Amino acid sequence: MKKRCFWVSNDPLYIEYHDNEWGVPTFDDTELFEFLILETFQAGLSWITILKKRENFKKAFNNFDYKKIANYGEGKYEELLMDAGIIRNKLKIRSAITNAKLFMDVQKEFGSFSKFFWSYTDGKPIVNHFNKREEVPATTALSDKISKDLKKRGFKFVGSTVIYAYMQSMGMVNDHTTDCFRYNEV
């Protein structure tokens, strides 16, 4: 049997996500936006809750098309508030729309969101060497710095803990524990 990170339950969604997505470096703006939206909605909730609603989010938010989301009006906002398939938090829904607009501002400034985000690590993942749960941080000096920068640009729900989880999900940091079979694969 494969050894996985401590946080993976026997839920097939968790296993699939861990084995195929978590910690895999992505430089694609569409994927980066999807992870950003999912991580901001996850704030204060469990990740499995978000994974179980991921397909609903995808449908509700036009396949995470930030160009469309940036143009959502009040009608679409109200529709999202009524959608039981997603997290119906007024502030988080508003933040998705705001963050889509700001995401495109960053693209204009840097050529892509990926270039902006990965510039913090010169385009290379940070490989950590954590052996057990207690060693894995919830935030780091780098997540603090990125969070501060994003907040200064007007992004919402991008506290340091959310940003560190984002860095993990999109592969900026490899936080697979050293005993996990994925540690050397990503």
Side-chain angles (χ1 to χ4, degrees):
M1 192 165 110
K2 292 179 178 176
K3 176 81 170 130
R4 292 182 173 86
C5 292
F6 62 87
W7 55 267
V8 183
S9 71
N10 59 2
D11 187 301
L13 270 178
Y14 246 168
I15 292 168
E16 173 72 21
Y17 175 70
H18 171 271
D19 291 1
N20 298 301
E21 288 184 86
W22 193 72
V24 177
T26 183
F27 298 86
D28 178 80
D29 273 9
T30 304
E31 288 178 22
L32 290 172
F33 185 73
E34 176 180 356
F35 281 129
L36 182 64
I37 291 294
L38 294 175
E39 291 293 351
T40 59
F41 271 90
Q42 188 266 330
L45 303 169
S46 69
W47 185 244
I48 194 65
T49 300
I50 300 303
L51 284 179
K52 287 180 177 177
K53 292 178 177 279
R54 189 177 190 179
E55 286 307 311
N56 297 333
F57 273 106
K58 194 176 254 188
K59 227 178 288 164
F61 284 95
N62 292 91
N63 210 28
F64 300 107
D65 183 336
Y66 48 86
K67 291 174 186 154
K68 287 182 180 172
I69 296 167
N71 289 307
Y72 284 178
E74 280 305 303
K76 181 63 176 182
Y77 168 76
E78 293 294 331
E79 181 186 314
L80 290 167
L81 279 178
M82 301 304 291
D83 189 336
I86 65 168
I87 307 300
R88 295 180 291 181
N89 177 299
K90 292 176 183 183
L91 296 176
K92 289 179 181 182
I93 292 170
R94 286 251 186 248
S95 79
I97 300 165
T98 298
N99 290 351
K101 293 172 185 170
L102 296 168
F103 189 89
M104 291 192 304
D105 289 346
V106 169
Q107 286 178 319
K108 283 182 199 133
E109 185 179 343
F110 292 88
S112 73
F113 188 82
S114 179
K115 280 183 188 166
F116 161 73
F117 212 82
W118 281 98
S119 70
Y120 287 99
T121 62
D122 294 323
K124 295 176 186 82
I126 297 165
V127 180
N128 290 314
H129 308 284
F130 302 128
N131 298 310
K132 53 189 182 253
R133 169 190 303 232
E134 299 78 35
E135 296 174 348
V136 182
T139 64
T140 62
L142 182 57
S143 68
D144 292 348
K145 182 179 178 181
I146 296 171
S147 169
K148 199 174 188 180
D149 191 359
L150 289 171
K151 285 178 181 177
K152 207 183 304 171
R153 293 170 181 277
F155 282 80
K156 306 290 183 210
F157 284 93
V158 290
S160 190
T161 303
V162 168
I163 292 305
Y164 194 71
Y166 181 62
M167 292 163 62
Q168 291 172 315
S169 66
M170 50 77 76
M172 182 179 267
V173 294
N174 177 357
D175 275 358
H176 286 281
T177 48
T178 54
D179 62 347
C180 174
F181 83 98
R182 290 292 284 155
Y183 178 76
N184 289 314
E185 293 181 2
V186 296

